């Protein structure tokens, strides 16, 4: 902690107040009258203990937060000063003195007009470029959709599940049957389905287009307790057989229409691929905007004003300022 320097005591007064402390002057020296705040004895240069603690606290010393704040403020101030000296070269007087304020204003105004025109032109061109990008993206997206449609038509797979009963599971385009650990799968197209029953089981027979038959049986007679088989009533099994027949009819219709659907998708895809009119129009609009900006007479006027302002500053300072 830095030491306090004692103040010279006024000899022409018996008592005075310095820094909120009452001082009494006598022939033998100075007496500091007691107070509650504990401020330094300015004539002897000493501090009470609680005053020394306050002096050494982070509040008194500034603290790291205050130090960083000062650094940030100084850095910002240094940046502003440096930028101003760069924008208005020639020395401190030309950059800051009020004598040259009108010269700085003239240069700043010329710069601002060119900057405003350039900003508007950039916004126009940016909007036109976005239109080109949107047109190209729209065409590409439609081509991807058509490719996906074509793939789904050529390779429909099993499709969504339609229903299930016992070992049989029915999908949009296929039927599947579980037998032990194996799964038997067949296309529904041109399949035949029959329902029969006897005194123990109901049966569904699925005969595919190649003549191969699959039998699915559903017990309806009450099984023995140890058998653990599930029971199926006749109506449930008959309804499921009719569901399979309806799915087969839809699949047969789908297969009949498939060539025409593929042809339509292929034709549309070819048309979309060859049609670049939207993209071409957007690109033409972009080029039109660019040409209009290049030929804009107002731009030439503003550029001439800025060139004159730069020249005037060079004559004034002997330094060429940036645009």
């Amino acid at each position: 902690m830095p030491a306090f320097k004692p103040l010279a005591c006024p000899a022409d007064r018996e008592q005075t107040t310095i820094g909120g402390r009452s001082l009494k002057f006598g022939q033998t020296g100075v007496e500091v009258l007691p107070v509650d705040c504990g401020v330094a004895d300015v004539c002897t240069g000493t501090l009470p203990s609680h005053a020394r603690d306050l002096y050494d606290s982070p509040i008194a010393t500034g603290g790291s937060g205050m130090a960083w704040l000062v650094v940030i403020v100084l850095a910002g101030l240094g940046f502003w000063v440096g930028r101003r000296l760069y924008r208005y070269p020639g020395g401190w007087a030309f950059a800051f003195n009020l004598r040259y304020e009108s010269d700085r204003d003239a240069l700043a105004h010329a710069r601002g007009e060119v900057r405003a025109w350039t900003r508007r032109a950039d916004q126009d061109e940016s909007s036109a470029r976005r239109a080109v990008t949107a047109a190209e993206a729209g065409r590409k997206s439609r081509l991807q959709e058509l490719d996906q449609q074509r793939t789904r038509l050529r390779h429909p797979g099993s499709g969504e599940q339609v229903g299930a009963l016992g070992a049989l599971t029915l999908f949009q385009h296929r039927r599947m049957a579980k037998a032990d650990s194996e799964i038997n799968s067949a296309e529904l197209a041109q399949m035949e389905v029959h329902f029969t029953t006897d005194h123990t089981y109901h049966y569904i027979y699925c005969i595919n287009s190649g003549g191969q038959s699959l039998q699915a049986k559903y017990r309806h007679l009450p099984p023995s307790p140890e058998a653990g088989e599930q029971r199926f009533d006749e109506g449930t099994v008959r309804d499921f057989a009719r569901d399979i027949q309806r799915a087969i009819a839809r699949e047969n219709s789908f297969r009949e229409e498939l060539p025409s659907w593929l042809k339509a998708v292929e034709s549309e895809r070819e048309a979309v691929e060859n049609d670049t009119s939207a993209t071409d129009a957007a690109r033409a609009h972009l080029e039109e905007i660019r040409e209009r900006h290049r030929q804009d007479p107002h731009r030439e006027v503003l550029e001439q004003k800025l060139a004159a302002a730069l020249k005037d500053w060079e004559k004034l300072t002997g330094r060429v300022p940036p645009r």
Side-chain angles (χ1 to χ4, degrees), residues 3 30 41 72 89 91 95 104 130 138 160 164 175 210 227:
V30 180
D41 186 332
I72 292 172
R104 291 193 299 269
R130 286 195 298 270
E160 296 180 1
R175 69 104 185 99

Side-chain angles (χ1 to χ4, degrees), residues 160-179:
E160 296 180 1
Q161 182 175 325
V162 177
L165 187 68
L168 284 183
T169 303
L170 179 63
F171 294 88
Q172 283 181 303
H173 305 291
R174 303 184 74 86
R175 69 104 185 99
M176 294 188 181
K178 295 180 181 178

